[in-house]
Amino acid sequence: MGAKYELRGQVAVITLDNPPVNGLGYDTRTGVAAGVEQAVADAAVLAIVITGSGRAFSGGADIKEFGSPKAIAEPNLLSLIRLLEDCPKPVVAAINGLCMGGGLELALGCHWRVAAPGVDVALPEVKIGLIPGAGGTQRLPRVLGVETALNMIVGGDPVKSELLAGLPGQRLFDLIVPAGQGVVDAACALGVAKANEPRVRVRDLKLSHPNPDGYFQFARNTVKAMAKNFPAPAKCVDAVEMALKLSFDQGMTYERETFMALMLTPECKALRHAFFGERAASKIADVPEDTPQRAIAKVAVIGAGTMGGGISMNFLNAGIPVTILETKQDALDRGVATILRNYEAQVKKGKLKQDKLDARLALLSTTLNYADIADADLVIEAVFEEMGVKEAVFKTLDEVMKPGAILASNTSTLDLDQIAGFTRRPQDVVGLHFFSPANVMKLLEVVRGKATAKDVLATVMAVAKKIRKTAVVSGVCDGFIGNRMIEQYSRQAGFLLEEGCTPAQVDKAAEKFGFAMGPFRMGDLAGNDIGWAIRKRRYVEKPHMRYSKTADLLCEMGRYGQKTGAGWYDYQPGKRDALPSPVVVKMIEDHRAALGVSPRRISDEEIVHRLVYSLVNEGAKILEEGIAGKASDIDMVYLTGYGFPLHRGGPMCYADNQGLFNVLQTMKKFAANPLDDASFWQPAPLLVRLAASGKTFT
């Protein structure tokens, strides 16, 4: 792992060799530097070509070294680029594949660049809360112009090489090699042809703009509106402006200082945590990456309701045939009509082409007969959330499904081990908890039963990737990770009403903190009757567990949320705007009076910390019990399934950034509140231990 050196005639070819994306780790950087020195010392070498192994030139920094001394050890990327720029022999980048971040910055340090068509080119640092740190903000504008470069740097999204090569006046690529021809051969030929010509250093190219002040003000206004919670996009604008207004070396100093300052911001820490957390979620400690997988060529879905239809769309979108099973033809017809309506809406908005729609619908079949799904490799049950109904379905599946088929339940709270017990093949049973709308939401909770086989887990994690979900493994408990935690959050929201808040005040505080939706708007969207059913179960199973009665009183009024046109808020027909309800406010006030509670003014800070720390404390219990494998898994559940603000990194990351000692002190204050529930704020033992030892969750 590092870099390979070979001679092709009079050209030294240095190949980055650090799979999977040739990250610019320490060994790779030292290998390139050694290769350049060897080529310079060899009188027979006329030119140097740098390329990548496999299907990538370089994806940038080596994420395995993030935060370690190796990441900045010399030669660091800045030093390596300077070595290339000052090389006395022509250096040509042969960009054979993916060219992103530090990889693009490395290519910009070469004298010429040759690329294959279809290469993804990007500076994506903004997505982890940073700006490019090795000259990207200073060099890219010099080869693409200020506006194109700034759009790429602020957006961070990849652009195809041939699209960039077609821009008037661009100097990023000297040649796009026709498909099927060797990009390294073309780069070697270019290097030899340029052997006696002056080197072209990007740093020396002139940069101008007809109206810099007006343009950068426009860019700042746009960025401010689009990225209000993130400092990096605005800093990208500043850095590109410095490329225009300062000397190259001054601009580089500005870029580096800005990069280092952003690295210390909580937003950057949160985004990096999410970046690594998403990758770590796919790894299960006791399931090796080379675990054999079962083939999934056909999928069956039981139930054509909202969830069943949404789940089916995920597989159709990925090109996997789906059969939907229902008990009645009219339910089947309604479900298929909803799927068709969703797809046609995408066509109308230009998000989906008609031929793609036709191809997806061709993969869909329906049936009323279990025998028709017997040969499916994966069957997902999406029926009513009641154990008796699940029992009937799984006993039937056990009878009809072929050996080795994976039997999955979409249950959101029920005991998966009990469901697996309805079959004679518990090793084949797994939970696949999709979130509504299932065709949109990124999160997939993979629930691991005590008997679930390792190859089943490996298979469904791979399937999740294929259908573009962020899969997080949960053990079996009531509500799994997400819903178990959200129940505590909802309990605190209810206590806040009893003490003096209105639903609108709580929601506004949560949304100002960054939640996509406050707890009461969320309840109205999901259906308040769902929580009511859970509470009725709790009153029997856990009579000591305290809830505010306001939610029960609301449901007794028939106010289930948007589906009934009234919940915590009022809704006008055909609209989703949440309008404060005088009826609900009076109900809360009357209930408060019946309890003998005098309302008090509650700050936004108290509201937010009571809501968020309720998640944190329950999350700590979930970690200690082994329901979640790691704290970042909990954060991924909340970032991708519950609208937790990305710039805060998830509840466990947020607690770490606040300091666990401070979290505990705040919880002690809440426990001393006579109108709150002291037992609710009993800290999880793990939280106490970590705080005492100065450690963090993440």
Side-chain angles (χ1 to χ4, degrees):
M1 237 172 27
K4 292 188 247 181
Y5 183 93
E6 64 171 318
L7 288 175
R8 290 200 189 186
Q10 295 175 295
V11 180
V13 177
I14 301 169
T15 304
L16 308 176
D17 187 25
N18 183 11
V21 294
N22 300 321
L24 297 169
Y26 176 73
D27 291 342
T28 305
R29 299 193 307 271
T30 53
V32 173
V36 170
E37 289 174 7
Q38 184 177 342
V40 169
D42 187 343
V45 171
L46 293 182
I48 301 166
V49 166
I50 297 179
T51 192
S53 61
R55 298 165 67 179
F57 176 74
S58 173
D62 189 338
I63 64 172
K64 296 188 288 290
E65 292 183 2
F66 259 45
S68 74
K70 277 189 171 183
I72 55 172
E74 292 286 4
N76 61 36
L77 185 53
L78 288 160
S79 301
L80 185 60
I81 291 170
R82 192 176 305 120
L83 179 71
L84 299 179
E85 257 183 347
D86 294 340
C87 183
K89 296 183 179 181
V91 181
V92 184
I95 302 170
N96 56 305
L98 182 84
C99 183
M100 293 189 179
L104 177 54
E105 289 173 311
L106 183 76
L108 288 167
C110 297
H111 304 124
W112 290 278
R113 285 157 295 282
V114 174
V119 167
D120 283 327
V121 180
L123 288 174
E125 287 83 356
V126 72
K127 294 183 182 291
I128 54 169
L130 295 168
I131 68 170
T137 65
Q138 305 302 297
R139 289 188 178 90
L140 194 64
R142 285 173 159 81
V143 295
L144 288 180
V146 167
E147 297 188 16
T148 301
L150 183 57
N151 286 336
M152 284 184 66
I153 294 166
V154 166
D157 297 319
V159 183
K160 294 295 181 188
S161 51
E162 63 270 29
L163 189 68
L164 294 170
L167 296 174
Q170 70 84 25
R171 300 188 67 175
L172 175 57
F173 298 119
D174 298 279
L175 177 67
I176 295 288
V177 180
Q181 294 188 20
V183 70
V184 174
D185 290 341
C188 289
L190 181 64
V192 171
K194 299 289 188 183
N196 297 313
E197 293 185 20
R199 314 286 169 260
V200 179
R201 301 196 311 174
V202 172
R203 63 177 290 150
D204 298 330
L205 299 178
K206 299 299 178 197
L207 186 59
S208 63
H209 189 280
N211 179 21
D213 292 339
Y215 173 70
F216 284 111
Q217 188 55 54
F218 163 77
R220 280 191 186 87
N221 293 343
T222 304
V223 163
K224 187 178 179 183
M226 292 175 63
K228 61 181 179 181
N229 293 316
F230 299 97
K235 294 296 183 183
C236 289
V237 178
D238 294 344
V240 172
E241 184 177 30
M242 293 307 109
L244 188 71
K245 295 188 172 179
L246 300 177
S247 70
F248 181 82
D249 287 330
Q250 288 171 325
M252 285 294 292
T253 300
Y254 182 89
E255 178 192 85
R256 195 66 191 165
E257 288 175 351
T258 303
F259 176 90
M260 297 306 291
L262 284 170
M263 186 76 82
L264 301 175
T265 62
E267 293 85 1
C268 178
K269 289 176 184 175
L271 287 171
R272 283 185 286 143
H273 172 69
F275 176 84
F276 289 114
E278 185 164 11
R279 282 146 188 80
S282 64
K283 296 173 176 38
I284 308 169
D286 64 336
V287 180
E289 289 191 28
D290 60 355
T291 300
Q293 296 175 17
R294 302 186 189 186
I296 304 295
K298 295 175 75 176
V299 172
V301 176
I302 314 295
T306 303
M307 286 305 298
I311 291 168
S312 300
M313 287 177 72
N314 288 299
F315 292 96
L316 297 174
N317 296 348
I320 300 172
V322 176
T323 301
I324 301 178
L325 182 146
E326 256 294 355
T327 53
K328 294 180 180 175
Q329 187 63 48
D330 60 341
L332 207 47
D333 293 342
R334 277 196 307 274
V336 172
T338 301
I339 290 173
L340 186 58
R341 200 160 50 244
N342 286 337
Y343 277 139
E344 286 174 343
Q346 290 180 28
V347 172
K348 204 172 284 183
K349 291 174 184 173
K351 294 181 178 178
L352 183 68
K353 292 187 176 171
Q354 186 64 42
D355 61 334
K356 286 275 176 72
L357 166 58
D358 296 339
R360 290 176 187 181
L361 292 178
L363 296 170
L364 177 63
S365 57
T366 60
T367 185
L368 301 174
N369 189 344
Y370 273 90
D372 293 336
I373 65 167
D375 65 341
D377 304 298
L378 167 65
V379 57
I380 303 170
E381 159 277 305
V383 300
F384 189 68
E385 187 76 344
E386 199 274 316
M387 191 60 86
V389 180
K390 309 280 189 193
E391 180 177 4
V393 168
F394 274 83
K395 282 183 173 176
T396 306
L397 291 175
D398 191 37
E399 293 297 326
V400 303
M401 299 307 295
K402 69 181 182 182
I406 296 174
L407 314 184
S409 174
N410 181 52
T411 180
S412 57
T413 54
L414 299 179
D415 185 338
L416 187 82
D417 290 330
Q418 189 178 345
I419 292 171
F422 300 139
T423 75
R424 289 161 295 181
R425 41 171 123 180
Q427 73 280 1
D428 295 336
V429 178
V430 68
L432 292 181
H433 177 209
F434 289 81
F435 285 70
S436 186
N439 54 307
V440 175
M441 295 294 284
K442 262 190 95 176
L443 177 62
L444 176 62
E445 264 185 328
V446 173
V447 185
R448 180 182 193 173
K450 64 186 176 190
T452 305
K454 290 183 180 180
D455 66 332
V456 168
L457 282 169
T459 302
V460 296
M461 294 302 278
V463 167
K465 199 170 282 187
K466 193 165 187 180
I467 62 173
R468 298 187 172 184
K469 299 294 182 190
T470 299
V472 177
V473 176
S474 170
V476 176
C477 66
D478 198 332
F480 315 126
I481 296 172
N483 284 343
R484 175 172 159 181
M485 288 169 64
I486 207 71
E487 185 175 0
Q488 308 313 318
Y489 173 91
S490 299
R491 284 176 69 202
Q492 269 306 310
F495 297 153
L496 285 163
L497 296 186
E498 290 186 347
E499 291 178 44
C501 291
T502 62
Q505 184 192 353
V506 175
D507 283 350
K508 280 176 184 169
E511 288 158 20
K512 186 177 174 187
F513 174 77
F515 275 99
M517 203 175 278
F520 298 107
R521 283 181 62 211
M522 184 176 69
D524 278 359
L525 180 65
N528 295 308
D529 51 326
I530 295 171
W532 195 23
I534 292 169
R535 287 192 301 279
K536 286 175 181 176
R537 186 154 56 92
R538 292 282 183 269
Y539 297 150
V540 175
E541 296 170 357
K542 299 180 180 178
H544 62 281
M545 209 166 168
R546 193 184 136 202
Y547 293 86
S548 164
K549 292 290 184 207
T550 51
D552 291 356
L553 293 170
L554 185 83
C555 290
E556 286 166 12
M557 296 161 70
R559 299 180 68 101
Y560 295 161
Q562 289 187 18
K563 60 188 174 185
T564 58
W568 293 105
Y569 297 92
D570 292 331
Y571 298 91
Q572 294 177 349
K575 295 185 178 179
R576 290 177 177 265
D577 299 333
L579 307 172
S581 169
V583 174
V584 171
V585 171
K586 185 173 188 313
M587 177 271 285
I588 294 167
E589 288 172 348
D590 289 348
H591 175 64
R592 208 181 280 143
L595 293 175
V597 174
S598 299
R600 67 180 176 91
R601 187 183 175 283
I602 301 176
S603 69
D604 285 358
E605 182 183 38
E606 181 180 340
I607 292 169
V608 165
H609 281 159
R610 283 173 67 170
L611 295 175
V612 175
Y613 291 171
S614 67
L615 296 175
V616 170
N617 201 39
E618 196 67 22
K621 294 174 187 175
I622 283 171
L623 270 178
E624 188 142 44
E625 293 167 22
I627 299 299
K630 44 199 174 292
S632 61
D633 284 353
I634 294 173
D635 286 335
M636 292 318 300
V637 166
Y638 268 79
L639 290 172
T640 58
Y642 289 85
F644 199 94
L646 177 59
H647 67 284
R648 301 195 190 274
M652 312 314 278
C653 177
Y654 177 74
D656 284 345
N657 285 336
Q658 294 297 297
L660 298 189
F661 174 83
N662 297 326
V663 171
L664 274 180
Q665 296 308 305
T666 303
M667 285 171 58
K668 284 178 185 174
K669 288 180 190 171
F670 295 157
N673 174 3
L675 296 178
D676 203 330
D677 181 354
S679 63
F680 184 104
W681 293 112
Q682 183 66 34
L686 176 62
L687 174 55
V688 174
R689 285 201 308 277
L690 290 175
S693 58
K695 294 180 180 175
T696 63
F697 289 120
T698 57

